[in-house]
Each structure stands twice: as C-alpha cells, then as structure tokens.
Amino acid sequence: MPTLDSRTPAGPLAEKWTKRKTDLKLVNPANKRKYTIIVVGTGLAGASAASSFGELGYNVLNFCFQDTPRRAHSIAAQGGINAAKSYQNDGDSVWRLFYDTIKGGDFRAREANVYRLAEVSNNIIDQATAQGVPFAREYGGTLANRSFGGALVSRTFYARGQTGQQLLIGAYQSLMRQVELGKVKMFPRTEMLDLIVIDGRARGIVTRDLVTGKVESFLADAVVLATGGYGNLYYLSTNAKGSNVTAAWRAHRKGAFFANPCYTQIHPTCIPRAGEYQSKLTLMSESLRNDGRIWVPKKSGDGRTPDQIPEGERDYYLERKYPTYGNLAPRDIASRAAKQACDAGLGVGPGGLGVYLDFSDSIKRLGAKAIGERYGNLFDMYNRITGENPFAVPMRIYPAVHYTMGGLWVDYDLMSNLPGLFVLGEANFSDHGANRLGASALMQGLADGYFVIPYTIGDYLARGGLAKADNGHADVKAAEAAVNSREKKLLGINGKHTVDWFHKKLGEIMWENVGMARTKESLEKAIQEIPALRDQFWRDVKVPGVEGEFNQELEKAGRVADFLELGELLSRDALDRNESCGGHFRSEFQTEDGEAKRNDAEYAYAAAWEWTGENKPWTLNKEPLVFENIQLQTRSYK
Amino acid sequence: MRLTLEIWRQKGADDAGRFVRYDHDDVSEHMSFLEMLDVLNQKLIGKGEEPVSFDSDCREGICGMCGFVVNGYPHGPQPLTTVCQLHMRHFHDGDVLRLEPFRAKAFPIIRDLAIDRSALDRVIMAGGYTSINAGGPRDANSILVGKKESDLSMDAAACIGCGACVAACPNASASLFTGGKISHLGLLPQGEPERKTRALSMVERHNAEGFGGCTVIGACAEACPKGLKLDFIARMNKDYLAGTLTFREEASGGGSG
Ligand SMILES: Cc1cc2nc3c(=O)[nH]c(=O)nc-3n(C[C@H](O)[C@H](O)[C@H](O)COP(=O)(O)OP(=O)(O)OC[C@H]3O[C@@H](n4cnc5c(N)ncnc54)[C@H](O)[C@@H]3O)c2cc1C
Ligand code: SF4
Ligand code: FES
C-alpha cells in the first residue's frame, strides 16, 4: 500500500514553520503580476487567500456560487474563534491550544500542522481587529473571551452570536478593496464543475455561469480550492443549502486524494427536525453550553412539562458522566450521549428526539438581562423557528450533521498530491483529526488564507517549470466537453423523481447507517444501497428546464450526483477503519463505559483515497501519523 | 392550511413578467416560508411545470441571500425577520399571498423572485474597508474600544446586505446599507483615518449605481431584518459633509531627497 509524504520540515516542533518559511523560494515582487492564481471559494479561507494574493501583487480570479462573495457559508458561524492570546491570564499558551486541538481530534491529525495553526492563531485576532471586526469588548475596552467545548481556558473571541459573519465581512471587505484595485477579478454566481489538469499539474477550472448557463474555462498557474465542507451529503445538516462537494469531488476524480471522509462531526445542539418538509437544521451555538445545562427526565416516557419535573427526577447526564468538563464536553461525546439518552427512551419532544438545554439556573444566578446580552440573538432565532421562548421554557435540542473533518489530502504546504492544486479551510483534511473543537474552523480558515498559503504558493510558483497553456489545449477542450455532456445527460433523463427526492433518500441512508454510530453491518448496507440509488438517479431523475438559463434544479442535480459518489466512499472509509475515534464511532469498538476505543497500533494514519476510474475500487494511500511531541492517550473528559 | 399564492413569474430580463396564481393546500404551520415554496416547487416539477426561482442559502437569517416582497412587505410582515426565518404560523388558512421580487433600478431581475444585487458590492468596493494588508498588525489589545462604541459599531455591522431597505424605499435608496457600513467602520478607531474619504466615495458610488437619495421616510429601517437604525444614515450624512468640506487632492510624490 503506497505511503504519502507530508513534506513536514524536520527539527523541533516549535521551529518547523519558521524553518519552512526561511527555506521557501520567493517570487520576485516585480514578477508577481505575471502569475495568475484561481481561487474557488470566498469563505474565510478563500476570501483571505484571494485578498492576500492580491495584496502581494498576483492576479487573482475568484469564484463563488452565491450572488456575492459575502454570503459564503462561513457567514453562519455563530460562536467564536480561538486564539492563544491568553488575555485572561488563565494559563493558555500556543502549546496548550495545540495540545487541546490534537487531543480534541482524538490524535488523528498531523502534529506539525496543528502546531502551526496554534502558532498563527494570535495573528488572526490582530488582523481581524485591524480590519474593524467588532469583537466583543470589556468595559475597559479590551477584547472579551468566552469558553468553548474541549478546553479549560477561556480563549474564544466573538462578535455577539455573529462571529463568522463579522470575520467574513472583514475578509470580504479586504477582498473588495483588491477588486476595486483590479488585482482580483470576482466571478459570483459561477460554479466550478471540473478541474483542468495539464501535464500532471492543476492548471485551471471549467465553470458554469449560473445566470446564463454559459460553460467556460479559466487557466492559471495554480488553483486553490476553498470550497467548504460536504455535510449536505446527509441532506439535513446545519450547512447552507448550497454547500456541496462538487469542486473537491471533481478534483478527486482528476487525481487528488480524498482523505478521511468518514470523519464527520455531528453537533450536539441543533433544533430538532419538525417535519418531512424540513429543508435544513439550525445550529444553536455551542457557546450556549457555557450557561445552559443539558438534561433529560430520569423516567422513560415522562409526559410532564419540564417545569413540573423536580430536580431529583432529572438526569444532567453530561455533568454526571464528565464531572470535569460537564456540559462543555467535546461535540462527539455530547452528541453520542444525547443519542444514548434518546435511544433509551428518555428523549423529549415530538418522536422523543430531543433533550433539554435549560437556562433557568443561569437566569436565576445572573439575571435574564445578562443572559439576553450573551445569547439574545440565538434565543430570538430559536423563538422564531419553534415559537417557544427559551427564557421561559428550556430549549429542545438534538444532534445534527455539522462539519466534515475529512477532505482533500494536503501536505504541510497545503498542496494536494496533484501539483499546483492547493486546498484550504474545511475543504481540506488537515488540522482537526477525527473531531474538530468548537471555534477552531474559523481559526483554520483564516490561518490557511492569511498566514500559510501566501508563503507556500510562492514557493511552488518560484520553482517554475510551468508550460504555456491556452484554452485551445486538448485537455481543456476535453474537460469542457465532459461538463457539457453531463449537463445534457441530466436534462435528458426526464424521469419520475425530483433531485430533492434522491437527495433525501441518500440522506436517510447516510443518517441511518453512517451517522452517529456505525457498525460493519450498517456500513455494508450503505455500500449496497448507495450505488443502487445512484443508478436509479441516472435513470429516473427529473431535471426541468434547459442548460442555457438560470436553472436551480440543474445546479442541485450536479451536486447530488457527486454526493451519490462521495456517500459510497465515505461508507467504505468508515468500514475500513476498524476503530472508533472522534466523530467516527464504530459500535463494535467501544470501552466498557461506551467511549470511543481507538486502535493506535493499526490505524494511526490518514486514509487518502485515490480515484481509479468509474465503477472501479478506490486505492488506499496511507500517511502514517507520527507523534514526536505528545503521548497518545485515551481521551478523557471526566 | 390552504393558501392562494400570486407569484411573479418572469423568465429573464427580456420577459415582461406577470403574476401567476397557485393554490397551495399542503402547508403546515411549522414550515418556514421557503419550505412552503420548496413543497410548491416539488409539485410543480411533478406536474411538468417550471419551478419558481428564488434565492436562499443559509436559511438562518444571516447570509442575506433570500428576500422578496410578501403582500407589500420586503421579507414579509414579521418585523426583524428574513423571509427564510418567517414561519407559516404567522399566516392563516385561506390567506392570499402576493410574492414579487425586490424592485429597484439598481437590482435587475434575473428570474422570477431572484435579482441581481451586485450594485451593493460595488458600493463596498468604493471604500467599505480599512486599507490595511494582511501581516504585521499590532496586538489587538493595543487598540482599546469602549464597550458602547463597540456595541454600536456591531449594531451597524449586523447588516446582511439583503437589499430589503432598497425595496422598501420609494426612492429605491440604499442609504441604510451604505450608512450602516460607514457607521460600522467610522465608529471604531481602526476606521477613523479614512472616515471622511470613505463616506465621500461610498456615497458617490451609491448614487452612480442608480440608487435614489434619502428623504428620511424611514421605510428602510422598518423593513430591515437586522434592525439597522436611521441614525446610521445621519452619521453617513455628517461624515459625507465633512468629507466634501475637507476634500483635497492627495499629495503626490515622495518629496525630494
Ligand atoms: C451553523 C454553523 C455554525 C458554525 N459556527 C462556528 C463557530 O462558531 N466557530 C468555528 O470556528 N466554526 C464554526 N463553524 C464551522 C465554520 O463556519 C466552517 O467550517 C468554515 O467557515 C468554513 O469556511 P471555508 O472558507 O472553508 O468554506 P465556506 O465558508 O463554506 O465557503 C465555501 C466557498 O466556496 C464556494 N464554492 C463551493 N463550491 C463551489 C463551486 N463548485 N464553485 C464555485 N464556488 C464554490 C462557495 O460559494 C463559498 O464561497 C460553523 C458552521 C456552521 C454550519
Ligand atoms: S440595512 Fe438592513 S435591509 Fe438594508 S441591506 Fe442591510 S440588513 Fe438588509
Ligand atoms: S437564506 Fe440566508 S438570510 Fe435568508
């Protein structure tokens, strides 16, 4: 089985990034304008990369499928962003942030990347503040912090419940400045539908203009994907409706390895599903667990309203099982505990699929005003969706698919195995191992875009060797032809079921068999059912309209077609990993008290899957995870 | 419950467009407004008809992608609520709802309820930022910001760029949007150095994009799902005036020596 080299610099952990930066080749400033870089995505990762490239003098072509770059899904992040500033004087440090992240990821991430992430985290806060991001402040004018799951220090910076929005708007504004200066050319409502590879290097993309339907190719010296996560594979997730895997998947089919797809994060605190027509699930930020207490009735089938259940008859199960971390236990643990409670018949609300998140103690202790200041907009959102007031009755919450730790494999420089293809943010697999800690995705996206890729891409470009390529190149024509014929095919099937019908079916298969708990049997079932559904899709889907127009059903059809392939790979990866770690819980592998049981002897590697062709088995490549600085342990939050 | 929907259908910029009536008898009070339309679209596709085009992404009231007019109200009648967060429990069995796109010269219609709001991006391009590059800024806590100013700046920064304010305004002005950005940055020490030039160039771009002027009617603030206040327009006018008064060509050249 082939092994992969991460090209991590040698030397002590704390000096690796400095060493790499000194060794990197530089592009002469006067030559930067001769290079063109494609950036797909305008979320925190894409916008920060594109604006930084523009500032450095490169020509940038930047794409997103929304109508403006400011709407990328990063906008929805509520809770906050971590950094090792230690402004609270509570013992935080770069090392501690590094350690918490590695441990939170259940020892399945690459040490050197995580250390670099912690190292540059402080720069992010400085950068965002200089952009005018209105972080929450103390009365003295300094920045405020809150706590997030999986940490015993208070290192999370926030802007009310809209941290992602404010960070993204900061990055977007810098991006707009570069657009005005002519360094970045922006292509909103434009979807990447294929990667162009010439002489083994990523050289461009094929896109569809979502307004006119025009299919077109763009060429460049390097391609950067910052296209977000694939949680919508499950149909219902906390992701935005448009979030999809297409860009990454198309690159995968062109040779980029897809790593650890089975590491999916199920978030413990989401508003439960209300009915068949449900189109997405809404997250209630983890920050609520600072002041909310999670409980279920002790008695199965207890029909009383929450206020009528006396203290003694409530089970605050997280506080009971994990006295040290309590309600702030990491997400995978909190989600599984909620599922266990509901499986045991203790769930509340319709269908018994919910647990209480109760603020009454905090309201008694701090007053409704203080709680309103901290979480007002989240309470309002809950109230708008459910019609219930969390000041008066506890919230009902249930886990939902939220984040995907897996993604395209990248080396230390964030380059995939395909030379010239770089992958940033949630779209890559790099920093969160098998479980991501809260407030660490925003940190990673901005670290990648502002402080890592501007250095490493220069090294790639400075090494040269890129042949001239133009739109007449046979590989460009072939990629374009493939996109066109796939669209024609989708529109020509004219079958019985809508795209959404297939997407929901796929979601059901995934949630039932490849969700919070997986078994050999359930995974084998998924591996049978998904290809069958995929065949049915290509025989029986109904996509109305034509290609040369604004056609939202056609957009969705292409995305669902790719999910139907990813679903199979994800299930296979989960079946292959005979251990439980982080978000990947195999029921066969658990400790006596129901915790994940890792198998470090056999599975301390990243699984990077290689596409070998239509209907052919994937090849598994392994990147061994070497831990030189920390001791592998069983995670304990007790 | 059952609803009658009158929806604006327009194939593209060249099509004249018209309202089309749909009877929708499959509506639950727990649905969001957009889920109600999703269900309608599934039925239309099943019948071989064209589904209704409308934009949405986050469906959490934060991305600003959704937005159309319901019975004359941008984002519908519920205050401080985007149409993706509007739930059907606020409507009644038998209601007739008229859905049309946000209308303004600066917002061309793409199809049905989907519009082109890129003019708002171009207003930001004119100066809605602090002109700093990535790398090397000073420690965040070396810039102290009073909690009050910081909170007010956040109130202004909460704008989601949806364009409802423009749709609500009889002059199709984007002053609340523009004033929001000018206030967000102008209230912070980081935005101070460019406060006046920013106001000047953003307002000029706003006008050039075909948005109308503000005559302080206040319909924008009523329609704004994020509660932006008219005060932000006042702040914009003050900074704009200061900008015109102090405007002079930038000094050029690096000097001799
Ligand atoms: C509800 C919610 C709350 C969250 N809260 C937090 C939090 O508090 N703290 C935290 O750290 N993390 C949080 N996260 C996670 C975090 O927000 C995301 O992981 C992160 O923002 C992803 O950023 P990104 O730049 O990688 O991708 P995204 O922001 O998803 O951006 C993807 C971009 O790619 C573009 N794109 C995708 N495919 C294509 C294509 N084929 N063609 C063209 N363009 C394409 C999109 O248009 C978009 O611009 C939250 C996530 C959710 C869902
Ligand atoms: S000011 Fe309000 S209505 Fe106008 S774009 Fe911003 S959020 Fe929308
Ligand atoms: S869809 Fe994002 S605000 Fe409505």
Side-chain angles (χ1 to χ4, degrees):
Chain A
M1 210 167 286
T3 50
L4 276 163
D5 179 10
S6 67
R7 302 199 307 126
T8 301
L13 186 62
E15 286 159 36
K16 284 181 194 287
W17 180 228
T18 311
K19 176 159 178 5
R20 173 62 112 235
K21 283 194 288 188
T22 9
D23 293 347
L24 289 173
K25 278 188 179 298
L26 297 177
V27 178
N28 175 340
N31 282 342
K32 288 201 174 117
R33 66 189 156 78
K34 294 184 187 151
Y35 290 102
T36 300
I37 305 172
I38 285 175
V39 180
V40 189
T42 60
L44 288 179
S48 57
S51 65
S52 300
F53 293 152
E55 289 164 9
L56 289 169
Y58 296 111
N59 295 308
V60 185
L61 307 176
N62 193 189
F63 300 82
C64 69
F65 63 75
Q66 291 91 350
D67 66 333
T68 144
R70 66 179 288 156
R71 308 210 202 284
H73 178 54
S74 295
I75 199 113
Q78 302 169 347
I81 178 165
N82 288 331
K85 284 282 194 189
S86 196
Y87 283 161
Q88 306 305 322
N89 211 17
D90 58 357
D92 202 7
S93 63
V94 168
W95 175 268
R96 203 178 280 277
L97 175 53
F98 155 73
Y99 186 77
D100 285 349
T101 310
I102 283 272
K103 176 184 171 195
D106 217 352
F107 304 96
R108 287 293 174 264
R110 194 189 285 152
E111 260 189 4
N113 283 56
V114 179
Y115 193 87
R116 174 178 64 191
L117 176 66
E119 205 178 334
V120 303
S121 67
N122 292 341
N123 300 357
I124 297 170
I125 303 303
D126 299 340
Q127 166 72 11
T129 302
Q131 285 171 335
V133 169
F135 283 123
R137 301 268 169 174
E138 304 292 355
Y139 282 98
T142 53
L143 294 168
N145 288 117
R146 57 168 56 140
S147 305
F148 250 58
L152 295 175
V153 291
S154 195
R155 61 159 76 101
T156 304
F157 294 81
Y158 63 101
R160 286 197 194 139
Q162 290 126 278
T163 316
Q165 178 200 28
Q166 292 309 316
L167 289 169
L168 183 63
I169 286 180
Y172 155 81
Q173 288 172 183
S174 292
L175 180 62
M176 288 296 105
R177 176 168 161 250
Q178 294 306 313
V179 176
E180 180 78 5
L181 292 170
K183 291 312 294 176
V184 177
K185 196 161 186 297
M186 195 61 233
F187 298 86
R189 290 208 199 256
T190 307
E191 181 162 16
M192 163 180 167
L193 292 178
D194 209 353
L195 181 74
I196 296 170
V197 181
I198 299 176
D199 299 335
R201 298 185 187 226
R203 290 303 300 273
I205 59 172
V206 183
T207 61
R208 177 171 184 270
D209 179 323
L210 300 181
V211 177
T212 64
K214 186 173 174 206
V215 171
E216 216 179 335
S217 301
F218 295 88
L219 294 180
D221 299 294
V223 177
V224 177
L225 298 187
T227 45
Y230 50 83
N232 274 349
L233 164 61
Y234 289 77
Y235 186 71
L236 286 181
S237 85
T238 62
N239 289 9
K241 287 299 284 176
S243 298
N244 69 88
V245 78
T246 289
W249 194 254
R250 295 281 121 194
H252 172 57
R253 291 176 54 120
K254 283 286 171 82
F257 297 165
F258 210 107
N260 300 337
C262 79
Y263 294 162
T264 44
Q265 179 166 84
I266 316 260
H267 197 293
T269 54
C270 303
I271 301 179
R273 183 182 130 136
E276 272 301 303
Y277 48 80
Q278 188 92 27
S279 62
K280 71 155 285 165
L281 294 167
T282 301
L283 174 77
M284 288 284 105
S285 168
E286 173 163 309
S287 60
L288 292 168
R289 291 199 269 145
N290 272 302
D291 289 301
R293 300 179 68 195
I294 292 178
W295 64 276
V296 289
K298 280 189 178 160
K299 201 169 71 200
S300 162
D302 194 324
R304 290 172 293 179
T305 55
D307 57 311
Q308 283 172 342
I309 302 178
E311 275 301 309
E313 294 176 40
R314 301 171 173 195
D315 181 10
Y316 294 90
Y317 57 84
L318 286 178
E319 297 171 23
R320 173 171 58 78
K321 290 188 187 171
Y322 309 98
T324 308
Y325 282 71
N327 292 297
L328 287 172
R331 293 176 175 176
D332 51 337
I333 290 178
S335 290
R336 243 174 351 256
K339 178 175 157 54
Q340 281 159 4
C342 295
D343 287 352
L346 302 171
V348 298
L353 292 178
V355 300
Y356 289 124
L357 177 60
D358 195 338
F359 295 89
S360 49
D361 285 349
S362 298
I363 292 173
K364 259 183 244 144
R365 190 161 39 92
L366 303 165
K369 184 156 174 281
I371 294 298
E373 264 186 18
R374 278 182 206 174
Y375 310 111
N377 62 326
L378 295 170
F379 280 29
D380 288 347
M381 176 146 59
Y382 184 85
N383 176 251
R384 265 196 294 275
I385 293 173
T386 62
E388 291 173 3
N389 172 10
F391 283 107
V393 290
M395 286 183 176
R396 278 178 301 107
I397 52 160
Y398 196 66
V401 174
H402 176 58
Y403 182 88
T404 51
M405 282 72 69
L408 292 180
W409 184 86
V410 288
D411 65 12
Y412 185 72
D413 286 350
L414 303 182
M415 187 164 85
S416 75
N417 59 299
L418 254 185
L421 179 71
F422 294 80
V423 192
L424 318 181
E426 192 173 340
N428 76 23
F429 89 114
S430 70
D431 294 356
H432 307 292
N435 173 56
R436 174 178 70 81
L437 288 186
S440 286
L442 302 182
M443 171 171 73
Q444 185 220 337
L446 292 177
D448 289 359
Y450 284 133
F451 300 113
V452 179
I453 191 79
Y455 293 89
T456 59
I457 207 163
D459 181 70
Y460 174 76
L461 296 172
R463 285 171 195 279
L466 286 171
K468 273 249 161 286
D470 61 47
N471 283 28
H473 195 285
D475 293 337
V476 180
K477 291 278 155 234
E480 245 177 60
V483 166
N484 278 314
S485 82
R486 188 166 184 252
E487 283 190 358
K488 284 218 168 55
K489 193 166 166 197
L490 285 169
L491 288 160
I493 299 167
N494 200 15
K496 272 202 303 292
H497 298 294
T498 62
V499 176
D500 283 7
W501 186 89
F502 283 100
H503 198 173
K504 283 183 190 175
K505 284 264 176 263
L506 174 62
E508 280 162 23
I509 298 174
M510 294 304 300
W511 182 249
E512 281 306 312
N513 302 297
V514 203
M516 267 187 283
R518 303 148 178 194
T519 62
K520 182 167 179 287
E521 288 69 40
S522 76
L523 293 167
E524 283 169 346
K525 189 159 169 256
I527 291 168
Q528 289 263 305
E529 288 181 0
I530 296 168
L533 186 67
R534 190 165 66 221
D535 289 347
Q536 191 190 356
F537 174 89
W538 284 106
R539 270 185 285 112
D540 206 15
V541 72
K542 185 179 180 107
V543 185
V546 295
E547 63 256 54
E549 64 177 15
F550 188 69
N551 187 338
Q552 294 174 313
E553 288 295 311
L554 179 60
E555 291 168 28
K556 286 196 284 187
R559 295 171 192 162
V560 172
D562 290 337
F563 279 139
L564 282 161
E565 293 178 4
L566 167 68
E568 181 185 343
L569 178 63
L570 194 153
S571 310
R572 289 187 182 278
D573 184 43
L575 181 62
D576 202 65
R577 190 166 281 279
N578 289 306
E579 64 166 350
S580 293
C581 55
H584 169 64
F585 191 81
R586 284 279 301 270
S587 305
E588 304 96 316
F589 308 104
Q590 52 180 304
T591 62
E592 263 166 34
D593 44 3
E595 303 294 344
K597 195 163 156 197
R598 284 198 329 263
N599 176 349
D600 294 329
E602 287 174 281
Y603 291 95
Y605 63 78
W609 298 91
E610 179 177 355
W611 175 264
T612 61
E614 210 80 53
N615 298 319
K616 292 211 186 108
W618 280 267
T619 303
L620 175 61
N621 300 270
K622 292 181 179 174
E623 180 200 332
L625 297 171
V626 187
F627 295 91
E628 293 170 343
N629 299 279
I630 51 167
Q631 286 251 302
L632 294 184
Q633 326 167 324
T634 299
R635 269 194 321 169
S636 168
Y637 291 94
K638 293 209 161 154
Chain B
M1 56 181 155
R2 299 170 68 100
L3 296 174
T4 302
L5 301 172
E6 297 173 356
I7 305 179
W8 184 259
R9 303 302 309 259
Q10 180 175 342
K11 266 191 169 290
D14 302 333
D15 182 16
R18 72 219 63 88
F19 283 102
V20 177
R21 270 177 87 95
Y22 298 95
D23 290 318
H24 195 346
D25 52 11
D26 209 1
V27 182
S28 145
E29 56 165 2
H30 297 298
M31 285 177 179
S32 72
F33 205 93
L34 300 188
E35 284 167 346
M36 181 274 288
L37 288 182
D38 289 341
V39 173
L40 175 74
N41 274 346
Q42 293 299 303
K43 281 201 217 160
L44 291 179
I45 299 169
K47 286 196 287 187
E49 292 177 34
E50 294 266 332
V52 179
S53 296
F54 62 91
D55 274 323
S56 76
D57 201 24
C58 74
R59 298 204 174 186
E60 292 189 3
I62 192 75
C63 76
M65 184 103 177
C66 68
F68 47 79
V69 174
V70 182
N71 285 354
Y73 298 97
H75 286 302
Q78 207 56 21
L80 299 177
T81 306
T82 53
V83 72
C84 62
Q85 290 278 289
L86 178 64
H87 277 67
M88 298 315 292
R89 68 179 74 90
H90 300 293
F91 297 92
H92 306 285
D93 191 45
D95 277 357
V96 180
L97 304 179
R98 183 170 259 242
L99 278 48
E100 57 189 314
F102 286 172
R103 293 189 197 273
K105 189 170 114 206
F107 291 165
I109 291 176
I110 293 176
R111 195 183 172 93
D112 300 338
L113 305 175
I115 55 169
D116 176 355
R117 286 164 289 194
S118 54
L120 297 178
D121 286 327
R122 292 189 290 275
V123 172
I124 299 296
M125 276 163 58
Y129 36 74
T130 61
S131 297
I132 55 127
N133 287 355
R138 54 194 174 142
D139 182 79
N141 259 353
S142 69
I143 308 169
L144 297 180
V145 185
K147 190 173 182 313
K148 209 174 117 213
E149 289 72 33
S150 164
D151 283 349
L152 192 58
S153 168
M154 178 65 221
D155 289 346
C159 166
I160 57 173
C162 64
C165 47
V166 180
C169 176
N171 309 328
S173 171
S175 287
L176 193 60
F177 169 85
T178 310
K181 187 48 58 194
I182 287 171
S183 303
H184 157 214
L185 295 170
L187 278 156
L188 297 173
Q190 302 94 299
E192 179 57 29
E194 297 167 287
R195 182 166 57 86
K196 295 172 197 167
T197 47
R198 175 185 305 117
L200 195 61
S201 53
M202 287 182 73
V203 169
E204 277 166 10
R205 183 69 57 86
H206 166 276
N207 299 345
E209 286 294 336
F211 293 112
C214 174
T215 49
V216 207
I217 297 165
C220 55
E222 254 168 63
C224 175
K226 296 294 138 179
L228 268 75
K229 303 239 159 53
L230 283 181
D231 302 5
F232 298 135
I233 301 186
R235 206 169 266 283
M236 168 179 87
N237 290 337
K238 203 173 106 235
D239 287 349
Y240 174 74
L241 190 65
T244 44
L245 291 178
T246 55
F247 177 78
R248 62 185 176 96
E249 291 297 330
E250 270 176 52
S252 61
S256 55

